[in-house]
Amino acid sequence: MFPSKKLSSLICLQRSGVPEADFSRFDVATVIKKIYIMFCNSDMPIAAKNEQTLDLVKEDDPLPPWMTEDDLRVYADLYGKSTFEYPMQVPYRCLEIVDTRIASRQNFVINAPVLLILGGKDYAIKIANVINQDNSQLLPHMKVVHIEHGNHFVQEQFPQEVNEIIIEFLSSISPLLNSNT
């Protein structure tokens, strides 16, 4: 079940059965804690041969400073009821499907206003096609906002700033929405 070569944590999450085997070694709260710690790094962790992704986080690594033990308990309770199936599907296991569907459509355009808020220290944006390519034809009304010190969980790390960005965006598109009704 271990990857045979060095793979990024994101690639491991895309492979059916790999994260499930990794996660099954721990209780739900420990899985969530390790995921939050891992994704709060600015560098992409690499699992070595015979090492699983969650092994990259040590037991004594602290929670991110903005996450409390109470937050962790709430998340563990929710994920304990719903499992990790959906978070594995979206976005990790649907990336190729989405890329293929978009690539196969000529003149495919999403005209709706789109807001993408990213943490400037999120290593996932370094490899995500959505960010690295010119999307102006596919998403002509996309606004990208980088929160410089944010990580993968920027909405939890900086909730007030994210809320302000969303409110400003919705206010800016309100005239567009009203003119289409």
Side-chain angles (χ1 to χ4, degrees), residues 27-63:
D27 62 85
V28 174
T30 301
V31 171
I32 293 167
K33 178 181 177 182
K34 287 178 173 272
I35 287 172
Y36 268 81
I37 292 168
M38 183 175 59
F39 275 89
C40 287
N41 291 320
S42 58
D43 295 319
M44 184 175 12
I46 304 294
K49 184 177 180 180
N50 297 327
E51 183 178 44
Q52 291 192 359
T53 304
L54 293 184
D55 293 335
L56 300 171
V57 180
K58 304 305 175 214
E59 291 298 323
D60 59 348
D61 287 345
L63 281 171

Side-chain angles (χ1 to χ4, degrees), residues 108-114 134-143:
F108 181 71
V109 177
I110 299 173
N111 282 313
V114 174
D134 178 16
N135 288 298
S136 60
Q137 290 183 340
L138 173 66
L139 298 160
H141 303 289
M142 181 167 79
K143 178 179 181 179

Side-chain angles (χ1 to χ4, degrees), residues 155-176:
Q155 72 282 359
E156 294 171 70
Q157 188 180 14
F158 297 106
Q160 186 64 37
E161 191 171 346
V162 168
N163 286 340
E164 290 170 9
I165 292 166
I166 292 170
I167 290 167
E168 179 184 315
F169 177 75
L170 292 173
S171 296
S172 75
I173 65 166
S174 181
L176 294 173

Side-chain angles (χ1 to χ4, degrees), residues 11-104:
I11 293 170
C12 288
L13 291 173
Q14 292 176 325
R15 295 191 171 187
S16 183
V18 173
E20 290 85 353
D22 194 4
F23 294 178
S24 70
R25 300 176 303 138
F26 304 100
D27 62 85
V28 174
T30 301
V31 171
I32 293 167
K33 178 181 177 182
K34 287 178 173 272
I35 287 172
Y36 268 81
I37 292 168
M38 183 175 59
F39 275 89
C40 287
N41 291 320
S42 58
D43 295 319
M44 184 175 12
I46 304 294
K49 184 177 180 180
N50 297 327
E51 183 178 44
Q52 291 192 359
T53 304
L54 293 184
D55 293 335
L56 300 171
V57 180
K58 304 305 175 214
E59 291 298 323
D60 59 348
D61 287 345
L63 281 171
W66 44 266
M67 185 179 211
T68 68
E69 290 291 334
D70 285 339
D71 295 335
L72 181 60
R73 278 190 288 281
V74 169
Y75 286 13
D77 183 51
L78 293 170
Y79 276 101
K81 293 174 184 171
S82 67
T83 75
F84 292 97
E85 183 178 346
Y86 184 74
M88 292 295 96
Q89 290 295 346
V90 179
Y92 305 105
R93 294 186 180 153
C94 70
L95 291 174
E96 290 179 18
I97 295 167
V98 171
D99 286 346
T100 302
R101 287 182 181 169
I102 290 173
S104 67

